Amino acid sequence: MEKKWPIGVFASIDAGLGVRLEVAHELGVRTIHLHTPHAASRTPGQAKEFLARLADLGITTTVVFAGFEGESYADIPTVKRTVGLIPPATRAARTSELKAIADFALLLHVGVVGVHLGFVPHDTSDPDYQQLIAITRDVCDHCERNHQALHLETGQEPVDVLIQFLDDVGRDNLFVNFDPANMILYGAGQPLPALAQLGWRVHSVHCKDAIWSDRPGETWGQEVPLGEGDVDFAAFLQTLDQIGYSGPLTIEREIPQEPARQKAEIGRAIDLLERLKKQCQQVRRAEADVVEKQERKRGEISS
Ligand code: MG
């Protein structure tokens, strides 16, 4: 697999919004974030079968993404009410399930679990905030015993709130899955400065695009095909370069109800990212040439 920035896609086996494994393969993609299969499929036997299928297709899973029964991304208030570990009624059950998902990821030999925690309270004195810290520590410690990391999906929080939360949890295996489109969809702030600010904390990314809502934070922005939205992907790659991120560029396009369109749009997204990768490398090489020339000149002058 390509060392720097291999292209990936968000994929599913039997649950979730990603493309099917066969589609990933047809698109020539070798690395995926896998939406966790249904609870009934999370058995050692199924894990063996999935691993064999992935091996056949030449695909490596870099992150297993958690998902829970009853989550809905219909609109921002519904996300607040239903997504992640925030809703009180399902908090304990979902925390146990998240650990079970981590154990299933281990059976798939995957060292990273991704999750949308849901809306983290912005007020650090909120009892829910304190409880969420305790839960996240507990999940991180479970992952640590599995030699796994936990990646929090960005979007719901402004970057300062997220960094404060990560610092308050204070675990060495807690990182960020950065999704620039989510920042726009939720109206949580400009994605690229947030990416730069998160820096070393970013250990995986989703390449997804979106358009700002006219009432950011109140109503959804709109997810659109990569390259057609408000995320500047050339600048996104430059920023990834600056923060030293070299992992997969995992394309996410959440229209599983239209598989043909999903495949075509992901195909175009791959072409665009490959082109931008080349541009970014050319800029890098040109910069390196300038530095080399300057150093040579300096050497000539001093000698
Ligand atoms: Mg995402």
Side-chain angles (χ1 to χ4, degrees):
M1 201 192 298
E2 222 176 323
K3 276 200 187 116
K4 185 175 177 180
W5 294 342
I7 301 287
V9 288
F10 198 90
S12 317
I13 295 173
D14 62 6
L17 301 168
V19 298
R20 289 183 304 112
L21 296 182
E22 289 70 20
V23 175
H25 177 69
E26 284 161 21
L27 288 165
V29 168
R30 310 294 297 275
T31 158
I32 59 165
H33 287 185
L34 179 69
H35 197 278
T36 188
H38 287 301
S41 309
R42 290 184 223 130
T43 63
Q46 290 277 24
K48 238 184 185 174
E49 263 177 47
F50 293 150
L51 270 178
R53 256 175 85 192
L54 289 164
D56 271 353
L57 299 170
I59 293 174
T60 306
T61 308
T62 55
V63 181
V64 169
F65 256 87
F68 304 106
E69 210 55 57
E71 288 184 319
S72 166
Y73 290 86
D75 51 39
I76 291 179
T78 310
V79 172
K80 281 191 176 162
R81 215 177 52 244
T82 67
V83 167
L85 304 182
I86 306 296
T90 49
R91 192 174 289 168
R94 285 183 178 178
T95 303
S96 311
E97 190 176 355
L98 183 52
K99 292 181 193 172
I101 290 169
D103 294 343
F104 181 73
L106 190 64
L107 293 178
L108 293 178
H109 310 152
V110 177
V112 182
V113 180
V115 67
H116 268 274
L117 275 186
F119 275 82
V120 174
H122 292 187
D123 176 2
T124 54
S125 63
D126 187 318
D128 260 359
Y129 183 88
Q130 296 304 330
Q131 209 196 338
L132 201 60
I133 283 177
I135 287 174
T136 309
R137 281 181 186 153
D138 182 30
V139 174
C140 282
D141 294 344
H142 183 90
C143 288
E144 183 66 45
R145 288 190 286 277
N146 286 349
H147 304 289
Q148 291 168 316
L150 184 70
H151 291 190
L152 301 184
E153 173 96 353
T154 53
Q156 296 93 334
E157 286 74 46
V159 64
D160 291 329
V161 173
L162 181 61
I163 289 177
Q164 175 78 55
F165 182 76
L166 294 166
D167 288 349
D168 286 345
V169 174
R171 288 295 187 268
D172 291 340
N173 62 335
L174 182 63
F175 300 103
V176 165
N177 180 75
F178 190 84
D179 185 327
N182 282 352
M183 306 282 305
I184 292 173
L185 288 168
Y186 289 94
Q190 288 291 344
L192 298 189
L195 176 62
Q197 207 179 327
L198 284 164
W200 60 268
R201 295 175 173 90
V202 174
H203 277 219
S204 56
V205 300
H206 284 164
C207 294
K208 191 170 86 192
D209 210 346
I211 294 171
W212 289 92
S213 150
D214 53 359
R215 286 183 289 147
E218 285 176 55
T219 58
W220 274 122
Q222 190 197 343
E223 194 204 324
V224 295
L226 198 141
E228 295 179 19
D230 291 326
V231 179
D232 178 346
F233 275 94
F236 181 65
L237 292 194
Q238 278 163 20
T239 310
L240 288 177
D241 215 17
Q242 281 157 10
I243 66 169
Y245 177 83
S246 58
L249 303 177
T250 304
I251 298 164
E252 192 181 19
R253 181 70 176 118
E254 297 178 345
I255 48 166
Q257 67 284 6
E258 295 176 78
R261 196 177 132 210
Q262 189 183 37
K263 184 180 173 187
E265 287 182 1
I266 290 174
R268 285 196 289 277
I270 292 172
D271 292 345
L272 176 63
L273 286 177
E274 290 291 7
R275 193 156 43 81
L276 294 176
K277 268 166 68 172
K278 268 194 205 112
Q279 268 176 27
C280 201
Q281 277 156 3
Q282 278 163 358
V283 170
R284 255 292 160 96
R285 233 171 279 145
E287 284 168 357
D289 281 352
V290 170
V291 171
E292 202 192 308
K293 266 183 205 151
Q294 282 172 341
E295 276 171 4
R296 219 180 301 146
K297 232 181 201 171
R298 237 176 269 140
E300 279 165 17
I301 292 166
S302 62
S303 60

